[in-house]
Amino acid sequence: MVLAFDTATAAITVALHEWVPGEGARRRGRAEAVDRRRHTELLTPSIQAVLAEAGAAPDALSAIAVGVGPGPYTGLRVGLVTARAMGASLGVPVHGVCTLDAIAWASGRGEPFAVATDARRKEVYWARYASSRARATEPAVGPAADVLNGAPDGLPVIGEGAALYPEVLGASGHEPLLPTASAVAELAIARLAGEKGPDLLPPEPLYLRRPDAKEPGPRKKVTPR
């Protein structure tokens, strides 16, 4: 069984999936919430609720899969710290999944498209895909116009970032807007089973830019008058 969660966007999403030979990933439980300010408060209760729904104890887990962004620093670190702490406590491996890859995976698209999420500061996190299982570019951050710069005409763009800038990235067809832990779990299980798909990553954050918070500099010397 694989416990998956992602806190790299406004979504606090948790799911438990079990790999069944000949069938693939079977969902045993899930919890979904959207709140840009309460990742810390909602993640742990959501994990507890999903395990309870499935009737599974933490020591029954085989692995943990966690969204590694790109995403804002504060929300992203909540999921990563929780995943690493649980992995160390339970003695199970922790696998990272690019959040853009999870959105792409859930789309099930077979033709080229792009994924864009909200990066704030009037920018988006984005990547282009050959299909839902094959990323064509590295994740990037920048103005919405960057997503289609040099891309084929009419390239579809999905994700919350696309919905925020419809005048640039198209007026419709943006679903799914946010990642789901079910997609994170399905992608991780597929890769662990040897199927094709985006690579699993270390459980380290994909920030792409420096966090807003900065260490305070040295105090200025005060010269007596």
Side-chain angles (χ1 to χ4, degrees):
M1 288 195 291
V2 175
L3 177 68
F5 42 92
D6 192 302
T7 59
T9 68
I12 302 95
T13 173
V14 182
L16 180 68
H17 281 233
E18 181 179 12
W19 183 74
V20 180
E23 182 178 331
R26 177 191 295 170
R27 190 175 67 210
R28 296 280 303 275
R30 71 172 177 177
E32 306 283 346
V34 177
D35 193 319
R36 296 186 186 278
R37 299 177 181 273
R38 301 182 62 215
H39 295 82
T40 302
E41 294 89 342
L42 294 176
L43 180 58
T44 298
S46 295
I47 291 172
Q48 293 170 338
V50 166
L51 291 173
E53 178 185 349
D59 59 10
L61 299 177
S62 303
I64 294 170
V66 61
V68 298
Y73 175 77
T74 303
L76 181 55
R77 68 177 179 177
V78 171
L80 286 165
V81 168
T82 301
R84 290 198 294 250
M86 288 188 67
S89 174
L90 298 172
V92 298
V94 180
H95 304 285
V97 172
C98 174
T99 298
L100 300 175
D101 291 350
I103 295 173
W105 186 276
S107 76
R109 291 173 177 255
E111 301 295 330
F113 65 101
V115 176
T117 60
D118 183 15
R120 303 174 187 174
R121 305 182 192 174
K122 298 182 179 180
E123 293 183 331
V124 295
Y125 297 115
W126 64 275
R128 294 179 195 153
Y129 291 79
S131 73
S132 62
R133 295 190 172 216
R135 178 153 39 88
T137 68
E138 291 299 313
V141 61
D146 287 358
V147 179
L148 298 178
N149 187 18
D153 291 341
L155 184 73
V157 186
I158 65 173
E160 185 183 29
L164 288 172
Y165 302 100
E167 69 284 358
V168 180
L169 301 178
S172 62
H174 302 142
E175 291 77 15
L177 298 180
L178 295 169
T180 65
S182 286
V184 173
E186 289 171 5
L187 191 161
I189 288 174
R191 295 298 287 135
L192 292 171
E195 298 179 22
K196 292 183 178 180
D199 290 337
L200 297 178
L201 304 171
E204 300 292 339
L206 286 174
Y207 287 139
L208 300 189
R209 65 186 181 199
R210 297 179 64 84
D212 293 330
K214 297 181 180 179
E215 292 185 18
R219 293 184 178 181
K220 294 182 179 180
K221 294 183 178 179
V222 178
T223 304
R225 294 180 180 177

